[in-house]
Amino acid sequence: MVIERHWKKWVYFYIPLTLFIIGTLFPFYWMLITAVRPDAELYRSWRAVNNTPFWTLQPTLAHVQDLLARTTFPRWLWNTFFIAIVSTGISLACGLLAGYALARLRFPMAGLLGTSIFVTYLVPPTLLFIPLADIVRNFHLGNTPWALILTYPTFLIPFCTWLLMGYFKTIPKELEECARIDGASRFGAMVRIIFPIAVPGILSAGIFAFTLSWNEFIYALIFLSSPERKTVPVGVVSELIRGDIYFWGQLMAGALLGSVPVAFIYSFFVEHYVAGLTGSVKG
Amino acid sequence: MAQVVLKDLNKKFDEVHVVKDVNLHVRDKEFLVLVGPSGCGKSTTLRMVAGLEEITSGEIHIGDRLVNDLPPKDRDIAMVFQNYALYPHMTVYDNMAFGLKMRKFPKAEIETRVKETATLLGIQDLLKRKPRQLSGGQRQRVAVGRAIVRHPQVFLFDEPLSNLDAKLRVQMRVELKRLHDRLETTAIYVTHDQVEAMTLGDRVVVMKDGLVHQVGEPLEVYSKPRNKFVAGFIGSPAMNFIDTTISDAGGLYAETTGMRVKVPADRVSRLAPYKGKTVTLGIRPEDLREAAGSDPHDLVFEALVEVVEPLGSEILLDTTVGTHTVVARVDPTVRAKHHQKIRLAFIPHRIHFFDNRTEEAIV
């Protein structure tokens, strides 16, 4: 019996898990190895006798140095960061209030409103960018960070609202009722009692919103045109492929540096973040 | 210290009428218990007093103020919830100090009051802990402490003991009663547990389907229930109800298969109009006893014992008489065996009669 169970654990658990991990992490490994591979190895034929596609013997930081010194990549990083932070801030502020209202207040059409907010999230950006482009042009926002800061909330606010609404619903309503009897107004109870308890939910909404804006591609591609105004995802693709030449080393170095902040934020808040998605509050 | 007056209070959730024309006068310093089965509107009534539910119609006065349109924070009340509702991100001290801080009390006074209250409740060593580090009973104490630290005019309790285990519940019940005697503050207490209602209340309000069925002191409600619902709800095991026909054979008798009881002399005049009709006879299990030879035969009946439940201090007998099930609570010395017959006797002045149609008591 014991031997059989041992065997089953391997077949149903370890082997599939290993395959999954390899499948998931391989692209990241490829990105890393390409970023540090010297040009001579990158453009060598696959049939060359000394070809080593899965590792490199002469790692180099030349691509990273080129990227930081000779391109506008640092500028893109800053643009992306600024746009992501501000649009996340706006979306969180709106999402907190809207999520609270939908979870707690009884008002006419509340259900309909909640559903319609969700439906707007389902409209694909590939369609929504057409009317948005018109609006952005009319307000003379094209080619400015505000074009993105004000359009990202179209998908971030519904997202934050729904995530936070779900979280608020797990908080017993007696907590704020008690606070209101203890002397707080409804707004006071929300700020002093509900928000501090909802920190895990707020963090996960914030992290998600930040990641979504950081990685966003379509709007950034359409609304920004000058190279120095671009964000990382767009800049890397449009400026580091010159003509039909792929500068693989710089491309991958750019992708690597672009994903570091997000990975960093995730790892920093991972506990809160998991609690935000799964946990509920006990009174 | 204040009285609370509810006048023609109504609450409708859309089309559902959950509280119907409730009129109550909670006297100053009184401990009033609202009791009833779940969904009877007792919690909604309490929440209206707290200001957590809007009033559909009617008036609520606390002290001499009409509070209908006052937000909860301005009603000078404190409430203890069933799930304690302790703020999980605050320490016990901050939980208790929260209400005082919101009311801008000076720091020194907050500290004195919190410490005083904590000592009163025996939680002075827990002040630095977070709620999740406390046991159920400790949380309950903190919740009570948070309510009394503010010295409000009225305490509201919404089933505060329901989440505790049976032993702790009995202990906290006694403590609450002692606390109320000491604090002398008006309290309204909601529970579905009739034992809690009887033991804690100066007066008890029995509710069902949004209506107040009876208001009175616990023993009065127990011994003189106004209708069949109150009679069946208060007391455990519940009162036995037996459908009987009133007949006249040289005195009034209540008859059914296997039982013929003489109507006590003081009830004859009220029961006379029911001659030939069916009425419900109610008798509490504790108002039946094993018959002795000297008992008049028209107060005695024979029952078949189905189940014997010895509880030590007493024995519960589940018996059948004709088609009726009758529970009797008899002395532990009674030797009864199941499937055997036993002769039981009524205590005549403890017999209740209820009108079959209105279910009102016939007194």
Side-chain angles (χ1 to χ4, degrees):
Chain A
M1 283 303 281
V2 175
I3 291 168
E4 188 190 56
R5 249 189 266 145
H6 204 67
W7 169 82
K8 277 193 175 163
K9 208 169 181 182
W10 274 95
V11 170
Y12 292 114
F13 185 71
Y14 291 121
I15 293 175
L17 191 66
T18 311
L19 290 176
F20 178 75
I21 289 175
I22 291 173
T24 315
L25 291 184
F26 183 74
F28 292 94
Y29 174 74
W30 193 252
M31 176 170 82
L32 181 74
I33 206 76
T34 311
V36 298
R37 197 187 283 278
D39 274 338
E41 279 187 30
L42 277 173
Y43 299 105
R44 188 157 55 193
S45 162
W46 274 77
R47 294 191 191 163
V49 277
N50 57 352
N51 188 26
T52 54
F54 296 109
W55 64 88
T56 176
L57 297 175
Q58 293 134 330
T60 168
L61 287 178
H63 300 308
V64 179
Q65 283 163 356
D66 278 357
L67 186 75
L68 295 178
R70 295 201 198 150
T71 68
T72 38
F73 185 81
R75 182 74 208 174
W76 300 338
L77 263 182
W78 165 249
N79 290 345
T80 320
F81 185 75
F82 174 71
I83 290 167
I85 285 288
V86 178
S87 53
T88 300
I90 294 175
S91 311
L92 266 187
C94 296
L96 270 174
L97 297 176
Y100 178 85
L102 289 173
R104 282 289 195 270
L105 306 183
R106 267 181 258 155
F107 55 94
M109 314 262 272
L112 186 72
L113 193 68
T115 315
S116 31
I117 289 179
F118 186 61
V119 167
T120 59
Y121 182 64
L122 299 179
V123 178
T126 41
L127 292 178
L128 202 59
F129 84 84
I130 302 169
L132 279 177
D134 198 37
I135 297 171
V136 164
R137 196 179 39 125
N138 288 339
F139 281 91
H140 303 288
L141 293 172
N143 204 24
T144 68
W146 295 102
L148 297 187
I149 289 172
L150 296 178
T151 47
Y152 283 177
T154 56
F155 58 87
L156 294 182
I157 290 178
F159 175 79
C160 291
T161 303
W162 270 77
L163 199 147
L164 289 169
M165 181 178 81
Y167 200 83
F168 287 145
K169 280 186 178 167
T170 66
I171 300 175
K173 69 177 191 313
E174 286 85 357
L175 284 176
E176 58 185 304
E177 289 177 349
C178 193
R180 284 167 63 203
I181 291 175
D182 267 352
S185 59
R186 192 181 259 283
F187 189 79
M190 178 174 84
V191 173
R192 285 163 176 273
I193 304 295
I194 301 303
F195 285 179
I197 298 172
V199 162
I202 297 171
L203 272 179
S204 9
I207 290 171
F208 257 121
F210 183 83
T211 317
L212 284 173
S213 356
W214 185 275
N215 295 336
E216 206 284 332
F217 187 76
I218 291 211
Y219 293 169
L221 179 70
I222 291 154
F223 299 146
L224 303 176
S225 44
S226 332
E228 78 281 1
R229 296 254 165 116
K230 287 185 175 169
T231 61
V232 172
V234 174
V236 166
V237 174
S238 62
E239 304 295 322
L240 298 184
I241 303 171
R242 291 164 200 142
D244 57 354
I245 301 171
Y246 287 76
F247 287 83
W248 280 120
Q250 285 187 10
L251 270 170
M252 289 303 182
L256 186 68
L257 291 185
S259 52
V260 163
V262 174
F264 182 74
I265 289 177
Y266 264 91
S267 60
F268 197 71
F269 291 118
V270 68
E271 274 175 33
H272 289 291
Y273 164 74
V274 172
L277 293 183
T278 59
S280 63
V281 181
K282 295 201 174 67
Chain B
M1 315 300 120
Q3 58 173 2
V4 179
V5 179
L6 315 185
K7 263 190 209 159
D8 299 324
L9 198 63
N10 277 283
K11 175 72 189 176
K12 284 181 188 170
F13 289 112
D14 297 323
E15 289 311 300
V16 190
H17 202 162
V18 287
V19 174
K20 298 168 189 160
D21 290 324
V22 167
N23 283 289
L24 281 177
H25 181 172
V26 190
R27 298 171 196 139
D28 186 20
K29 297 176 191 173
E30 184 178 34
F31 200 118
L32 186 85
V33 180
L34 303 183
V35 65
S38 54
C40 71
K42 56 191 191 299
S43 276
T44 311
T45 307
L46 190 78
R47 291 169 57 82
M48 282 193 280
V49 176
L52 298 171
E53 296 288 352
E54 284 191 19
I55 297 165
T56 308
S57 70
E59 290 180 358
I60 297 179
H61 299 262
I62 297 177
D64 41 17
R65 290 186 303 167
L66 175 68
V67 298
N68 278 29
D69 298 319
L70 282 183
K73 68 187 173 77
D74 298 330
R75 296 192 178 195
D76 201 7
I77 49 170
M79 186 154 168
V80 179
F81 293 85
Q82 179 177 356
N83 62 3
Y84 319 133
L86 299 178
Y87 311 131
H89 58 300
M90 294 185 187
T91 61
V92 168
Y93 181 92
D94 289 330
N95 261 284
M96 290 174 67
F98 183 78
L100 298 171
K101 277 185 193 156
M102 294 305 291
R103 288 184 162 73
K104 309 247 167 6
F105 276 69
K107 253 197 169 144
E109 175 159 13
I110 294 181
E111 191 170 339
T112 327
R113 279 219 205 170
V114 170
K115 294 217 161 124
E116 224 175 70
T117 312
T119 314
L120 177 69
L121 290 163
I123 50 172
Q124 64 273 34
D125 299 332
L126 307 176
L127 289 175
K128 289 191 180 132
R129 299 228 197 134
K130 290 275 179 74
R132 64 170 175 278
Q133 299 166 303
L134 304 177
S135 69
Q138 288 170 333
R139 288 181 197 189
Q140 186 57 60
R141 270 168 223 267
V142 176
V144 171
R146 186 174 58 180
I148 63 180
V149 76
R150 274 184 23 225
H151 305 176
Q153 286 196 317
V154 181
F155 289 129
L156 305 176
F157 295 95
D158 190 0
E159 310 225 3
L161 305 183
S162 300
N163 281 11
L164 299 176
D165 63 59
K167 201 170 173 186
L168 207 51
R169 200 179 307 155
V170 174
Q171 188 188 334
M172 282 304 288
R173 202 167 71 200
V174 175
E175 273 187 48
L176 278 182
K177 181 130 185 161
R178 194 177 296 149
L179 207 57
H180 179 254
D181 287 344
R182 177 164 173 170
L183 297 172
E184 297 197 318
T185 303
T186 315
I188 308 178
Y189 186 106
V190 162
T191 179
H192 63 264
D193 180 348
Q194 50 99 15
V195 178
E196 257 171 49
M198 298 285 285
T199 49
L200 281 172
D202 293 328
R203 280 191 306 154
V204 174
V205 178
V206 186
M207 291 183 74
K208 187 196 169 197
D209 297 335
L211 289 168
V212 170
H213 280 242
Q214 188 165 3
V215 185
E217 288 172 16
L219 287 180
E220 180 193 337
V221 174
Y222 171 84
S223 59
K224 291 177 189 158
R226 259 197 14 215
N227 58 34
K228 200 173 153 185
F229 168 73
V230 176
F233 190 79
I234 300 290
S236 171
M239 185 185 280
N240 298 300
F241 293 116
I242 304 161
D243 284 337
T244 56
T245 312
I246 301 293
S247 64
D248 193 352
L252 285 187
Y253 286 87
E255 282 185 285
T256 184
T257 331
M259 188 188 288
R260 189 158 181 270
V261 194
K262 190 170 192 341
V263 174
D266 55 333
R267 313 285 184 79
V268 168
S269 61
R270 286 290 286 119
L271 275 166
Y274 290 90
K275 228 178 278 177
K277 290 183 188 160
T278 313
V279 297
T280 304
L281 179 152
I283 185 77
R284 293 191 184 279
E286 51 270 37
D287 297 336
L288 289 170
R289 53 186 174 75
E290 192 185 25
S294 58
D295 282 315
H297 70 277
D298 48 12
L299 284 175
V300 174
F301 63 97
E302 204 166 59
L304 181 66
V305 178
E306 299 275 349
V307 181
V308 181
E309 298 175 82
L311 300 180
S313 59
E314 67 210 18
I315 299 176
L316 294 183
L317 299 178
D318 279 54
T319 68
T320 49
V321 180
T323 54
H324 290 98
T325 306
V326 174
V327 179
R329 177 187 261 172
V330 295
D331 287 338
T333 50
V334 172
R335 296 274 163 263
K337 286 203 178 116
H338 71 124
H339 299 319
Q340 282 188 357
K341 292 204 165 167
I342 185 169
R343 279 161 48 81
L344 294 170
F346 286 97
I347 300 175
H349 64 275
R350 302 253 178 93
I351 300 175
H352 304 262
F353 290 100
F354 302 95
D355 185 304
N356 252 17
R357 195 175 48 80
T358 63
E359 303 204 333
E360 296 291 318
I362 304 167
V363 285

